Amino acid sequence: LVPAVEYHGKARYESLVLCEIFEDAFPNTPALLPADPYERAYARLWIDYISKSVVPAFMRLVLAQASNAQDKAREEVYNALRTYTAQVKGPYFLGEKFSLVDIAIVPWIVRDYIIAEHRGYDRAAVSQEWKKYAEVAESRDSVLKVQSVSSRQIGLDPSNSLTVVVFSASIGQRA
């Protein structure tokens, strides 16, 4: 499901676009992007990296059927995440503040149990830094509050076949 929002009679969709709309529409809330234009651009470059490198690699691994294809796709995921992790300033991508960069990768962190259970993925095989970053990001209160039910929680039969759970979250009005 793709989230959508109507704001002042105009509809928009796409998660990250909506986050930027909320940032602009509600300026008195914590910023998701740095105020400095150079740092904002840096954050957007890494959001683009997630969209163009991490997500496609993740999906290739999910869809890979043959063992050798899974091995190749898993290495692609590891390499994409290593590149990302090398830029993490800690504990979040830009440092102390949770940002739109973290928001862009969190859906893939909270879904990585799928590729762990069915495709041999292991966070520690990326790096200990990635494992720590992923654990910090997924345990953040704001992330926990918007997660939906996983296949583990609803008792789907774990087998060698891959089950992809589609989930969505409702976003209340920010004041």
Side-chain angles (χ1 to χ4, degrees), residues 2 15 23 34 70 73 136 148:
V2 176
S15 301
E23 176 146 329
Q70 290 177 20
V136 167
S148 65

Side-chain angles (χ1 to χ4, degrees), residues 1-6 12-18 111 166-171:
L1 301 174
V2 176
V5 168
E6 183 179 302
R12 291 292 178 257
Y13 61 93
E14 202 55 57
S15 301
L16 295 174
V17 172
L18 297 179
R111 292 180 183 126
V166 177
F167 61 97
S168 64
S170 298
I171 300 174

